Structure formats: structure tokens, C-alpha cells
Amino acid sequence: MNRSDVQQVADDVFRVDGGIVNWYLLRDGRDLTLVDAGYPGNAGDVESSIRLLGHDPGDVRALLITHAHADHIGAAGPLHARYGTPALCSAAEVPHAHRQFLEQVTPVQVLANAWRPGVLRWAVRAFRLGGTRAIAVPHAEPFPGAGPLDLPGRPLPVPTPGHTRGHSAFLLPAVGVVLTGDGLVTGHPTSWRQGPQLLPGFFDHDRAATAAALAPLAQLDAEVVLPGHGEPWRGPVGDAVATARSERE
Ligand SMILES: [Zn+2]
């Protein structure tokens, strides 16, 4: 992890490029909100990214989880064990974070898609980063109430179920930014294209619901799209949604 992997994308909003997944840091003075937490093998990188910003992991008031796939919760356990960092997600995602069930692509499903360009190479990287490790976030709790969260960035959860049943995006109204998790991405090692798109369908728990959840995103007043995978995208989020819809497989 280098300083160049930590990129300011809006006032007090930082994107961290973890290689094949992103996480984000929202700053308010000394306090931070962490949005998503990389693969298990990224746990050290998450801590490094916080320090590269000149902060201490103890400054993180909470980890917000868009959804509880292994590549978005990797540092949740270590941060909680070392610093007591709480983890919050939608009420619908809590049982998934607790691993009462798993809504994640299986190694068998990945192998069935191994003929697709990029899938095998991605799978090797994901495996090395602990993507198949059985991890959970037993301390995950639901957002405390409706409306914006009382955390750095004042993030407003936006329910976008489909990729997982409790997937959530986060709107940062003050800076016109939306963090879209895996509900809308701009690139992935298994995609040949850059720009707004859905992930390949085999990654979605419910593909039809994932596509339907683009509708609430399109309504948001945001001009910067920060996805779980891929580069930041600048322009009205409604335009990003229109592109993703037109490029659907
Ligand atoms: Zn995912």
C-alpha cells in the first residue's frame, strides 16, 4: 500500500485502491468513517491506508458495510478486535454478515464461468487474498435508525437489495457523492469494459433485483459515483445508471 493508492475524490472523501476491490474513508477532523473493508488479505492494507492519511485506526468511528461479501468485510474482525471498531449494515444484511446464510458466488460457480475472459486470473487473485475463507462479522449491527448516520460524512444509507438481499449504497449529500458498493460498478477484472455497469450476473444473489435497484440510485442527487470495483466516475448518477442499463448483458 502506497500513498498513491489513497486518492482524494471529493472534500474529505478518499478512495483506496486495494488492487481488485475499493474501500473508502470519510473524514471529519480527526474522525473517520470506513466504508467497506477489503478482502481478509487486505486487513493490513486497510490499516496502512488509514495511517497513510495521517490517522490512527482508532480514529475510525465505524465501519459501514455495503454488503457482507468476503471482499468487503476482510478487516472488520481485526479492526473490532484491536480497536473496538463497530460495524454497521442494513438490518436485512445483518444475518448475512453473521453468516446465518451465505449469498456469495461459490468456487463451483466460479469454475463454471472460468471460460469467460479474466475469470480464472481474477479467481487466483481472489483466492490468494482469502476470498474463499469462511469469515463473518459477528459484531455487525443494523443502522441505528432511518436517515443520515451520525458519523463522519453524514452518510445516508440507500437500500439497493439484489446483489445481496441487504445491499446498501450510501449517499453523501453534502458533497454529491454516492458510494454504490457492488450495486453499480465501473470495472472488474472479469469485465473487458470500463465505465458504469453491473457485475457479471453470476456474482449477484438476485440479478433481477440488482437491476431493479438501479432505479433508486438514478434518483439520487449525486455527481460522483464511487463503486466497490473500478474507478471513480464523474457525472450525474442517473447517466451512470442509464449507461449500465444500456450495456447489460
Ligand atoms: Zn459483492
Side-chain angles (χ1 to χ4, degrees):
M1 182 70 25
N2 299 302
R3 185 62 182 86
S4 61
D5 298 319
V6 184
Q7 172 195 10
Q8 177 152 7
V9 282
D11 280 353
D12 289 319
V13 180
F14 299 86
R15 168 184 182 253
V16 185
D17 181 350
I20 52 175
V21 66
N22 304 317
W23 58 91
Y24 296 92
L25 289 159
L26 317 178
R27 183 175 65 187
D28 184 357
R30 284 307 305 166
D31 295 335
L32 298 172
T33 301
L34 172 65
V35 182
D36 285 342
Y39 279 93
N42 289 133
D45 297 329
V46 170
E47 279 213 32
S48 299
S49 66
I50 293 164
R51 294 188 195 283
L52 283 165
L53 257 192
H55 283 256
D56 184 87
D59 297 341
V60 178
R61 301 277 73 87
L63 162 64
L64 301 183
I65 299 170
T66 59
H67 66 296
H69 280 162
D71 53 335
H72 296 257
I73 59 172
L79 285 173
H80 184 250
R82 280 179 218 150
Y83 308 101
T85 315
L88 302 175
C89 57
S90 78
E93 193 68 3
V94 168
H96 188 213
H98 292 177
R99 285 300 185 264
Q100 291 170 19
F101 50 81
L102 182 62
E103 293 179 339
Q104 183 169 290
V105 68
T106 65
V108 170
Q109 288 169 314
V110 170
L111 283 177
N113 285 277
W115 57 272
R116 292 169 185 265
V119 169
L120 261 188
R121 201 145 38 110
W122 165 82
V124 169
R125 293 180 76 184
F127 178 78
R128 287 196 180 130
L129 286 165
T132 56
R133 228 179 278 167
I135 57 162
V137 191
H139 59 282
E141 300 168 74
F143 304 132
L149 301 169
D150 187 18
L151 288 168
R154 302 280 298 163
L156 174 67
V158 180
T160 43
H163 182 68
T164 62
R165 77 180 67 178
H167 188 283
S168 186
F170 297 100
L171 178 68
L172 309 179
V175 285
V177 167
V178 60
L179 301 132
T180 53
D182 284 4
L184 174 64
V185 303
T186 61
H188 192 267
T190 61
S191 168
W192 54 271
R193 187 156 47 78
Q194 298 291 316
Q197 59 192 281
L198 295 181
L199 283 170
F202 65 94
F203 287 116
D204 291 328
H205 169 64
D206 180 338
R207 181 59 157 192
T210 305
L214 289 171
L217 285 178
Q219 303 303 315
L220 300 176
D221 187 11
E223 300 260 324
V224 182
V225 175
L226 300 178
H229 304 274
E231 299 286 324
W233 190 87
R234 288 175 196 278
V237 63
D239 291 359
V241 166
T243 302
R245 281 189 178 132
S246 70
E247 309 256 347
R248 267 183 72 187
E249 315 171 66

